[in-house]
Amino acid sequence: MSEKPKRVALFVTCLVDMFRPEIGFAAVKLLEDAGCIVEAPAGQTCCGQPAYNSGDRADAAAIARHNIALLAGFDYVVLPSGSCAGMIAKHYPPLFDDDPEMAGKARELARRTFELTSFLVDVLGVEAVAGASHSGTATYHDSCSGLRELGVKTQPRKLLGSVAGLTVSELAAPEECCGFGGTFCVKYPEISDRMVSDKAADATATGAALVLGGDLGCLMNIAGKLKRQGSRIAVRHVAEVLAGGPLVAPIGESGEE
Amino acid sequence: MHPTSHDFKANAHRAMRDEALQGALATLKKGFRAKRGVAVERLPEFEALRDAGRDMKNHVLAHLDHYLELFEAKVLAQGGHVHWARDAEEARRIVLDICRASNARTVTKGKSMVAEEIGLNAYLEKNGVRPVETDLGEYIIQLRDEPPSHIIAPAIHLNRGHVAQAFVKAHPQYPADRPLGEARELLDEAREVLRESFVTADLGITGANMMIAETGATIIVTNEGNGDLTQTLPRVHVVLTSIEKVVPTMEDATTVLRLLARSATGQEFAAYTTFSAGPRRAEDLDGPSEFHVVLLDNGRSNMLGGAFHDMLRCIRCAACINHCPIYGAIGGHAYGWVYPGPMGSVLTPALIGLEEARDLPNASTLCGRCEAVCPMRIPLPRMLRHWRGREFERHLQPGRVRLALKGWSWLVRHPTLYRLYTMAAVATLGMLGKRRGRFTSMPMAGGWTNTRDLPAPSARRGFMDQWATGRRR
Ligand code: SF4
């Protein structure tokens, strides 16, 4: 490649930062392997979805301002999450409907912002990951924002297709929400539980030993349900498997049991 | 109908324990979704049709007064009457006055969500007029004295056993031990009973899926043909509908019809599409001698030009309901008023007030499937969020939640403090959860941990912390 390497800001998201840093490091490896220069801007915190989805537009806009400044100057901004990438790419611009200057900056950021697998495949043209292998069958949960706001569906599957030994067995209802929904899962726990129970049953019925997905919120929800049921199905972020490095224990497990 | 939307959580709790309902919902999800999927697949221009439908409705809404006046003039020219009703109260009164003026004691009714919206049946009964629902689903729920649980399949929450029970109670003219186990037997009995009402009714009330400004016709779409008998047999036909259902031309109506049946039931066209234009003319073989159209506003004109403007494009196809995971878990009654599912969660607060319906916009994961299937491309999630914004402005959410959110939003904008706080949290949770990798209970997170485990942080230091000290892979 004679092109100048792309300078990518990795926005790991608050959940990955706190609950599963390995996803962030897997993303770094995938991006660097694809020839990018990766930085994780130090002032990053959260994309603002909790405020935005709770109707607090003023705080959501203030957080957006913070992130727009933070992420200025990078060629691209990549997130290992469809819903946080969707927040920046789809929901930041309309937050500034009455501020044309900020709206312009928000749109400019939106154009440079991508979900991880979609960035690798759609922008960088990655066809296969190098050196990843994982024997067994996995199923894939499409998180709602990634799927419907950003059109992330074929990209992770394409990359998983290059993981040696791995077969993907699809869910019967792949477009069904898992019931996480950010604050929804604690505001309406009963309905949320009902939805994630259906998702767990669907995953179990595929016979897969592993559930993969691109959003840690959904994955924590699904893993939390499966573990409560005593299921042996492992749950991981797709980047962990694609990066091909040594794996830590699956989500919600310690490896000590 | 007296709303119970304020009891949403309790309603939902009950619904999730109702086995018959859960069985029905499982069937509904499979059936409607698969059928719509096939129908859409088979029409290559479906997406273009959606654009056309959206654009046409946007045009109508921008010139609503014009098209309504055009429609009214046409109806009048054909010898019909048009009545404008500002709210439910006015609409009920108008219908009752027409009944009284024509001495109607028994009225047959086709399915009409607007009639549900204004609580017409209870009102007529109270005033000495007996309404008889002629759509099978509506008839069944009328016998059981309950509201519809779905906008196109009102009795979807019931099984055959429920229906048989209701029939045995309501039809004492038949032997109590007659066989009613098969759908056919139930249908035959309903048909026999209803036939009697069709011929004795003095007045027929139907809704309208659309009104055509160009011709002054109203359209109803049914699969049972009951609407035809309701509107052609009695002496007086009253069409009860709402102002946003007008379309300019027959051609436009066709666009909607092609979208409607596919989105609703996966049919290319419903079994019966019936046009009514004015009373019977001299050369007509049948038809009513009086024709009335009652046009309800009930808050709709207030939605024009505002945040919920797009909702007025709704053609009541129920695709959003059929694909909603929340509706799929709790059914329609839990929403506590006439319109359930995503369209209801947007519409209900506008029609009965946000205070009463405050749960509805929140009881959604904003998964976006409703918008993805809506034939009129209505941005339902955006509008649900907008209602949440109004609730936030009006402090309608619990103070505790508000405080937590505000605190988080503040912390997020102060990265240094945020880092200290999250480092402490990760270290603590990581240590406490190290042995099992998850928590089975957690103070203040009972909503989560009552039914599922909470995964613990996988490391004792977060990503940004490790990155700051040089780790790269
Ligand atoms: S909102 Fe859209 S999908 Fe839902 S009933 Fe109305 S037209 Fe149909």
Side-chain angles (χ1 to χ4, degrees), chain A residues 81-123:
Chain A
S81 157
S83 78
C84 306
M87 177 68 199
I88 297 179
K90 301 288 167 183
H91 300 292
Y92 276 12
L95 281 171
F96 301 103
D97 275 347
D98 41 18
D99 182 346
E101 196 197 322
M102 275 312 293
K105 288 184 183 172
R107 278 195 300 274
E108 189 273 327
L109 171 61
R111 281 193 292 275
R112 300 184 274 126
T113 300
F114 292 88
E115 182 275 340
L116 176 66
T117 61
S118 140
F119 181 69
L120 291 170
V121 173
D122 301 334
V123 179

Side-chain angles (χ1 to χ4, degrees), chain A residues 111-179:
Chain A
R111 281 193 292 275
R112 300 184 274 126
T113 300
F114 292 88
E115 182 275 340
L116 176 66
T117 61
S118 140
F119 181 69
L120 291 170
V121 173
D122 301 334
V123 179
L124 300 180
V126 174
E127 296 276 331
V129 289
S133 71
H134 196 103
S135 60
T137 304
T139 189
Y140 197 86
H141 170 63
D142 296 290
S143 69
C144 298
S145 324
L147 177 68
R148 281 180 276 265
E149 287 183 348
L150 304 175
V152 178
K153 182 162 180 99
T154 55
Q155 302 90 331
R157 289 172 175 78
K158 176 172 198 167
L159 297 175
L160 286 171
S162 66
V163 174
L166 188 74
T167 324
V168 175
S169 165
E170 295 292 343
L171 295 167
E175 306 208 332
E176 195 82 5
C177 176
C178 74

Side-chain angles (χ1 to χ4, degrees), chain B residues 112-288:
Chain B
S112 155
M113 289 311 292
V114 170
E116 298 287 348
E117 181 181 327
I118 66 170
L120 184 62
N121 283 0
Y123 180 81
L124 289 180
E125 267 166 50
K126 206 173 70 198
N127 287 285
V129 177
R130 187 173 74 99
V132 181
E133 294 288 351
T134 63
D135 170 270
L136 182 60
E138 286 285 344
Y139 178 66
I140 294 163
I141 60 168
Q142 185 184 27
L143 293 183
R144 291 172 50 94
D145 194 20
E146 57 184 2
S149 67
H150 189 282
I151 62 170
I152 64 165
I156 195 79
H157 56 290
L158 300 174
N159 58 33
R160 252 180 272 161
H162 292 122
V163 181
Q165 234 172 36
F167 279 14
V168 168
K169 202 165 139 218
H171 307 152
Q173 64 270 43
Y174 297 104
D177 58 352
R178 64 194 182 278
L180 282 176
E182 297 298 318
R184 185 77 254 163
E185 290 156 354
L186 293 167
L187 256 175
D188 286 344
E189 182 165 317
R191 183 169 289 170
E192 222 171 271
V193 176
L194 285 174
R195 190 167 302 146
E196 162 107 11
S197 303
F198 279 127
V199 286
T200 52
D202 311 295
L203 184 146
I205 301 173
T206 64
N209 291 84
M210 274 177 283
M211 313 167 261
I212 306 178
E214 166 188 65
T215 65
T218 66
I219 305 183
I220 57 168
V221 174
T222 74
N223 275 318
E224 296 172 16
N226 63 305
D228 297 28
L229 296 176
T230 305
Q231 66 186 38
T232 44
L233 292 181
R235 213 160 34 73
V236 183
H237 177 201
V238 178
V239 178
L240 174 60
T241 188
S242 51
I243 53 171
E244 82 283 13
K245 300 214 173 79
V246 69
V247 299
T249 65
M250 182 65 203
E251 178 104 11
D252 297 323
T254 314
T255 305
V256 172
L257 289 172
R258 295 181 72 200
L259 286 165
L260 178 61
R262 288 182 171 89
S263 301
T265 51
Q267 292 165 289
E268 282 172 8
F269 240 67
Y272 300 86
T273 301
T274 312
F275 296 76
S276 321
R280 173 181 194 164
R281 280 155 297 219
E283 66 277 18
D284 288 347
L285 293 176
D286 57 11

